[in-house]
Amino acid sequence: MADHGIGTRCVQAGYTPGNGEPRQIPIVQSTTFKYASGEAMGRLFDLEESGYFYTRLQNPTNDAVAAKIAAMEGGSAAMLTSSGQAASFYSVFNIASCGDHVVSSSSIYGGTYNLFSVTMKRMGIDFTFVSPDCTDAELEAAFRPNTRAVFGETIANPALTVLDIERFARAAHAHGVPLIVDNTFATPINCQPIAWGADIVTHSTTKYMDGHGAAVGGAIVDSGKFDWCAHADKFPGLCTPDESYHGVTYTQRFGLEGAYITKATAQLMRDFGSIQSPQNAFLLNLGLESLHVRMPRHCANGQAVAEFLQAHPRVSWVQYPGLPGDRYYALAQKYLPNGSCGVVSFGVQGGREAAQRFMGRLRLAAIETHVADARTCCLHPASTTHRQMRDDELRAAGVAPDLVRFSCGLEDTADLLEDIAQALEG
């Protein structure tokens, strides 16, 4: 599928039915799988053969959808997880452990920031947060001898900063570590980070990929290009025998294209069990089939709303990378020439209280924790998704106290603008 367009991959990749087989990906709603002998199952447990024995590790429905996402991102292998948060955790924990260090952009989703700065820190993994706008010298200074990865978001939620993927990839590779990019807001329709040097791509598939607020999920895609063996001392989990799997060395057995995802499945999914249900994977696939049609509409609505807000006297500021004059406009033109996303961040004159009153007057847009689906919704991050962060941490993440995150759905543009106008007038 690599030689097909992104729309064809959305519809066709991952699953090819044989003669008389179901046209749609079947839902294999089973926890276990039957085998004729213990020896046959034993070969699966030893990773000597491919197959299925327990859905906590792998399931045919999930694998077909993961293969589609890998094809869409231009990667070699992928896996589904129970949520985007699980994908962020697995992507880092698969290559970093107690005593290791990770460099991360400070402008990331609040839940991810909390995962890194609190929970994983308690596990002994230290994080240094740098501004996505940092100088090359500041980025270089963030690395340590025990650094194992660099992490960032293509379009940050909700600050809408745009990561300079090539620059962060160069810095990561100069220190022999991979760049991990959360591509949730852009989706592979508008940006494929692997093409710009990223090594691992993650998604909260709950957002645009599902697109209908129906199924929570996440995904991790491996580019298959990072040479773990060239830096074997940094990544012993991939380059030395795994005694919990009878001494298998993942890079030797599965090569660069399969080692990372196989280890994440065999070790992390085995031990943590953050699986995506086959039913959710089926719903996700339905969303993927129309992603290339939906994203342009989300972006068109986002652009129209951003332009309307920018001209409104009761709006103090607007952040949207598609606006000429936005500080990330040039990067967006480079990495996101076909559109960024449908999310607009802005401030209402009058501050936090005015923002709350504005949201309360909206009729079409619902106040929700969710973002990036078919229905327009909005949120005040400083008092919800980012409320665990101090003011200085909020500023570092690009989240102002008056910031409203407005996620444009697929409704008629004129209706969205009318709704915003009447709410601002109130």
Side-chain angles (χ1 to χ4, degrees), residues 215-424:
V216 175
I220 307 173
V221 181
D222 181 17
S223 69
K225 298 178 180 179
F226 189 82
D227 192 348
W228 309 104
C229 298
H231 312 283
D233 59 321
K234 294 179 182 290
F235 307 106
L238 287 164
C239 302
T240 59
D242 177 6
E243 297 307 323
S244 73
Y245 264 109
H246 310 289
V248 63
T249 299
Y250 294 100
T251 49
Q252 292 179 2
R253 179 76 62 84
F254 303 101
L256 298 182
E257 294 186 345
Y260 178 90
I261 292 296
T262 302
K263 178 180 179 295
T265 301
Q267 282 187 358
L268 303 189
M269 197 62 84
R270 175 196 66 191
D271 295 340
F272 291 100
S274 300
I275 62 169
Q276 186 169 151
S277 74
Q279 179 70 54
N280 278 13
F282 176 84
L283 294 172
L284 168 58
N285 184 64
L286 294 180
L288 293 174
E289 289 180 347
S290 65
L291 184 62
H292 62 299
V293 179
R294 291 185 286 107
M295 282 307 294
R297 179 58 178 266
H298 283 294
C299 293
N301 276 346
Q303 186 73 31
V305 165
E307 291 173 0
F308 176 84
L309 291 169
Q310 190 178 49
H312 201 285
R314 296 192 177 180
V315 173
S316 53
W317 58 271
V318 181
Q319 181 125 2
Y320 185 73
L323 282 177
D326 186 275
R327 60 177 173 157
Y328 296 102
Y329 181 77
L331 283 176
Q333 292 302 297
K334 174 180 178 178
Y335 295 114
L336 306 152
N338 297 320
S340 54
C341 64
V343 180
V344 182
S345 293
F346 64 98
V348 180
Q349 287 191 357
R352 184 186 293 241
E353 292 184 0
Q356 297 278 20
R357 290 197 302 272
F358 162 77
M359 293 194 303
R361 287 184 56 84
L362 290 166
R363 296 166 182 164
L364 287 179
I367 300 174
E368 299 177 7
T369 304
H370 203 227
V371 66
D373 69 20
R375 302 167 192 82
T376 294
C377 58
C378 64
L379 192 71
H380 183 244
S383 60
T384 53
T385 56
H386 290 63
R387 69 180 300 137
Q388 77 279 3
M389 298 171 68
R390 302 187 307 270
D391 284 350
D392 60 323
E393 294 173 330
L394 286 171
R395 286 190 292 271
V399 180
D402 61 343
L403 185 152
V404 174
R405 184 185 72 185
F406 196 90
S407 175
C408 300
L410 302 177
E411 301 91 346
D412 287 346
T413 306
D415 292 333
L416 293 181
L417 297 182
E418 181 182 2
D419 191 30
I420 293 170
Q422 65 82 23
L424 286 171

Side-chain angles (χ1 to χ4, degrees), residues 41-58:
M41 185 175 286
R43 289 192 291 273
L44 299 180
F45 274 92
D46 287 345
L47 303 180
E48 294 176 352
E49 295 181 4
S50 61
Y52 303 95
F53 54 88
Y54 199 50
T55 286
R56 191 179 78 221
L57 278 83
Q58 287 182 285

Side-chain angles (χ1 to χ4, degrees), residues 159-175:
L160 301 186
T161 57
V162 177
L163 187 72
D164 191 341
I165 300 172
E166 281 193 315
R167 186 165 75 94
F168 274 72
R170 282 196 303 270
H173 297 161
H175 288 269

